[in-house]
Amino acid sequence: NAIVINYRDVTENKTYEAELLRSSKHFRALIENIADAIVLLDAQGCIIYLSPSVTRITGFKNSESLNTPFPYLLEENKKERANIFFAELLGTRGVPVHKEFKIRHKDGHFIWAEGTFTNLIHEEAVDAVVLTFRDITGRKTAERLLRKSEANLRTIFENTSVSYVLLDPSFAVIHFNQLAKTRYKRFIDVTLAEGQKLTELVKPEKKNESLEKFRAVLGGKKIAYEKCFENGDGSATWYYVTMMPVYDNEKQVLGIMISSEDITERKSEELVRDKMTSDLVQHNKNLE
């Protein structure tokens, strides 16, 4: 004739449940707010979950993409290769595989993505292939423009009539075009090589003079002069040499650019003109 009350201490269980709930909320907040997109795929390669970041990147919502084969989001000519890759991925366990690929945007265009595929189907708590990726379209566009710019500059650099040599602040050769290599070998018997200090390649009697000029250029001064080289047949080749500092965006000196332009034809005309002038002056004196 009584109310029977039975109880036991469940503080530890409650604490565990509270910690589990807090941890669950923590990871959910993390997944829903990180910039990287998260996709879960089943063993058939169909989408079973998309994080909110996928919508921000591709425009596709979770409800629109469930049970859709992931290769559907790729370029048409990549789908077969994607199926082969996914089949190979299922043969691995827990090994992250990094890939760059193009993924379809809801508007119809494609964006570049960089992602990691990890097969966690064997993990009971996950039971999925986990894909995390980010949008790298901007980086890819910048890389493509940079390659195009470098190709254009290289074409100009190698096909100009001016020879160029670039030095770092320690006077080591960073780069040079083929014309510079040919001229330096022909006239001063120097074989240009990247990494070598130009001051160690010139003749000893010219070293101090070269150091003085290089240091002046590093100080912000531009140096220009004409240089004459004797050819084996008795003729001469003239060059207009320019040394100037190379600056970065903060106006800090990064190194030195040395350019040499062949001015032999112009110099020959000047010498002929000077000789004609001299002859005329002498002729006038003789007449007087």
Side-chain angles (χ1 to χ4, degrees):
N1 191 23
I3 296 174
V4 180
I5 301 174
N6 294 303
Y7 69 92
R8 64 179 180 272
D9 186 357
V10 294
T11 304
E12 186 177 348
N13 289 347
K14 283 294 183 180
T15 302
Y16 176 75
E17 288 175 4
E19 180 63 25
L20 189 63
L21 181 61
R22 188 193 70 81
S23 179
S24 176
K25 289 181 178 179
H26 174 78
F27 283 107
R28 180 175 291 277
L30 181 66
I31 289 173
E32 291 180 352
N33 291 282
I34 61 174
D36 285 9
I38 300 175
V39 181
L40 298 183
L41 308 173
D42 63 17
Q44 286 70 47
C46 294
I47 297 170
I48 57 178
Y49 172 77
L50 297 178
S51 70
S53 292
V54 178
T55 303
R56 290 195 292 269
I57 294 174
T58 68
F60 288 104
K61 297 180 180 178
N62 201 0
S63 58
E64 296 173 323
S65 303
L66 290 180
N67 300 318
T68 301
F70 181 72
Y72 168 77
L73 300 177
L74 305 180
E75 293 179 293
E76 190 66 34
N77 60 345
K78 303 292 184 182
K79 291 180 180 179
E80 184 176 350
R81 291 170 60 183
N83 287 326
I84 296 173
F85 165 74
F86 193 78
E88 294 174 348
L89 186 67
L90 293 178
T92 65
R93 286 191 171 193
V95 180
V97 180
H98 305 285
K99 285 281 186 181
E100 287 186 359
F101 52 90
K102 281 187 177 180
I103 189 169
R104 186 190 308 275
H105 192 277
K106 188 177 180 179
D107 294 340
H109 66 278
F110 287 88
I111 59 176
W112 272 102
E114 178 183 62
T116 301
F117 294 81
T118 309
N119 177 15
L120 297 177
I121 290 179
H122 59 286
E123 296 283 350
E124 185 178 351
V126 183
D127 190 25
V129 171
V130 180
L131 164 63
T132 60
F133 70 89
R134 66 185 61 184
D135 184 357
I136 59 168
T137 305
R139 192 185 81 192
K140 280 290 186 180
T141 301
E143 288 175 355
R144 178 177 58 81
L145 293 175
L146 181 61
R147 285 195 298 270
K148 182 179 179 181
S149 176
E150 287 180 346
N152 290 338
L153 288 175
R154 186 174 294 279
T155 300
I156 296 171
F157 196 65
E158 293 295 347
N159 292 280
T160 180
S161 60
V162 180
S163 64
Y164 291 100
V165 179
L166 299 179
L167 308 178
D168 69 11
S170 68
F171 315 132
V173 178
I174 300 174
H175 196 55
F176 53 87
N177 60 3
Q178 185 60 41
L179 187 59
K181 183 176 182 179
T182 302
R183 287 177 176 174
Y184 274 62
K185 183 62 178 176
R186 177 183 174 186
F187 292 109
I188 58 177
D189 195 26
V190 167
T191 302
L192 290 176
E194 293 183 4
Q196 288 185 301
K197 290 191 176 183
L198 192 58
T199 50
E200 296 176 357
L201 297 176
V202 298
K203 295 178 180 179
E205 61 270 19
K206 296 288 185 180
K207 186 172 183 177
N208 290 335
E209 180 185 350
S210 298
L211 279 172
E212 185 178 343
K213 289 178 180 177
F214 292 162
R215 287 167 180 160
V217 175
L218 288 180
K221 184 178 180 181
K222 178 180 177 181
I223 297 176
Y225 58 92
E226 294 179 353
K227 184 73 174 178
C228 178
F229 296 97
E230 297 293 334
N231 299 317
D233 58 1
S235 62
T237 301
W238 284 86
Y239 287 101
Y240 183 74
V241 182
T242 304
M243 298 182 182
M244 62 180 66
V246 179
Y247 297 99
D248 61 12
N249 293 333
E250 284 73 38
K251 300 299 181 182
Q252 299 295 316
V253 178
L254 293 177
I256 301 170
M257 181 180 72
I258 306 173
S259 63
S260 302
E261 181 183 1
D262 189 337
I263 59 169
T264 303
E265 184 176 350
R266 189 189 77 193
K267 200 66 180 177
S268 297
E269 292 175 355
E270 289 180 2
L271 292 174
V272 170
R273 186 167 58 251
D274 290 344
K275 186 175 186 307
M276 289 177 62
T277 302
S278 177
D279 289 345
L280 284 172
V281 170
Q282 185 60 46
H283 183 63
N284 287 335
K285 287 181 178 180
N286 292 340
L287 286 174
E288 290 174 2

